[in-house]
Amino acid sequence: MNIAVAFPGIGYHVDKPLLYHSKKIAREQGYEIVDVPYGNFPSDVKGSRQKMEAAFYSALDQSEDILKEIDFSKYDDILFLSKSVGTAVAAAYAGKHDLQTRNVYYTPIAETFQFMEQEGIVFHGTKDPWVETKLVKEECRKRGYPLYIIDEANHSLETGKAMRDLKNLKKIMKITKEYFIFFPIDK
């Protein structure tokens, strides 16, 4: 049995393109899907370290409550799909519960890297205002994470050009699916 858990961002819920389509692919591969629909975050988080920390801890606490009934030990593969602040929450949750997970980190924030210990792949847009490309490249290199960079893309991995965004989304989902299928976790 396999499980995929979706950890959204602050304004990027589980039914937006990256998480919606990656969950759909996971479901097609036989994964049980669990959403972590946390919310009630402070406003104007970007640029405020205090509000970002408050949002992170709130999301982590809500995740504890939402996931408390799940016995992760019964699954052969635990896949965490995460976006933005959800990347930090997923990584911290896995570490706190000593889970062996595989991860798809969509647009991690700078704070995520301090928690990233499990294997995974990372997607980042060069126009992401939440974190500099240089930092993401450096942190992924130090930790050995494959990094997929989308040129001119923002924090949602979108460029503002519909056809280009659809082409990029197809590429992102192809890489995501390959990760699901070809890089199973060793147990």
Side-chain angles (χ1 to χ4, degrees):
M1 287 181 26
N2 300 327
I3 189 170
V5 182
F7 293 84
I10 290 173
Y12 200 98
H13 54 76
V14 295
D15 289 328
K16 287 208 173 186
L18 296 168
L19 294 176
Y20 174 83
H21 290 292
S22 60
K23 289 187 319 175
K24 204 170 176 182
I25 292 168
R27 189 174 291 109
E28 289 171 358
Q29 299 304 312
Y31 285 79
E32 176 184 331
I33 307 297
V34 175
D35 291 333
V36 184
Y38 40 69
N40 299 320
F41 296 114
S43 59
D44 302 321
V45 171
K46 187 173 177 258
S48 171
R49 183 166 183 79
Q50 182 180 1
K51 287 183 178 183
M52 178 56 81
E53 277 187 27
F56 165 75
Y57 285 112
S58 174
L60 186 58
D61 288 345
Q62 290 176 65
S63 297
E64 292 288 345
D65 190 50
I66 293 165
L67 299 174
K68 69 183 173 196
E69 301 298 322
I70 296 177
D71 177 8
F72 285 103
S73 69
K74 73 179 187 179
Y75 295 98
D76 299 316
D77 189 17
I78 303 168
L79 181 64
F80 282 179
L81 308 168
S82 57
K83 171 74 177 83
S84 187
V85 74
T87 62
V89 175
Y93 184 91
K96 182 177 179 181
H97 293 277
D98 199 28
L99 297 176
Q100 189 172 10
T101 62
R102 294 189 305 139
N103 295 272
V104 179
Y105 297 107
Y106 295 116
T107 67
I109 56 174
E111 294 79 4
T112 301
F113 293 101
Q114 66 186 307
F115 301 107
M116 289 171 70
E117 295 177 4
Q118 304 292 329
E119 76 159 76
I121 60 175
V122 176
F123 292 89
H124 170 75
T126 59
K127 297 249 172 138
D128 186 336
W130 286 77
V131 62
E132 292 183 16
T133 300
K134 180 180 176 184
L135 175 72
V136 174
K137 284 181 177 179
E138 182 181 311
E139 293 294 340
C140 286
R141 183 192 49 75
K142 281 196 301 195
R143 291 169 169 76
Y145 286 98
L147 172 61
Y148 300 93
I149 294 180
I150 310 302
D151 285 331
E152 304 295 314
N154 63 18
H155 194 58
S156 295
L157 295 180
E158 295 179 352
T159 65
K161 297 185 185 333
M163 297 312 290
R164 183 174 180 188
D165 290 343
L166 289 171
K167 183 179 176 183
N168 286 340
L169 183 62
K170 182 177 180 181
K171 176 183 168 186
I172 292 164
M173 289 304 122
K174 182 177 186 283
I175 294 166
T176 298
K177 182 177 181 179
E178 288 170 356
Y179 178 69
F180 291 0
I181 296 171
F182 299 115
F183 299 97
I185 198 164
D186 295 326
K187 285 257 177 185

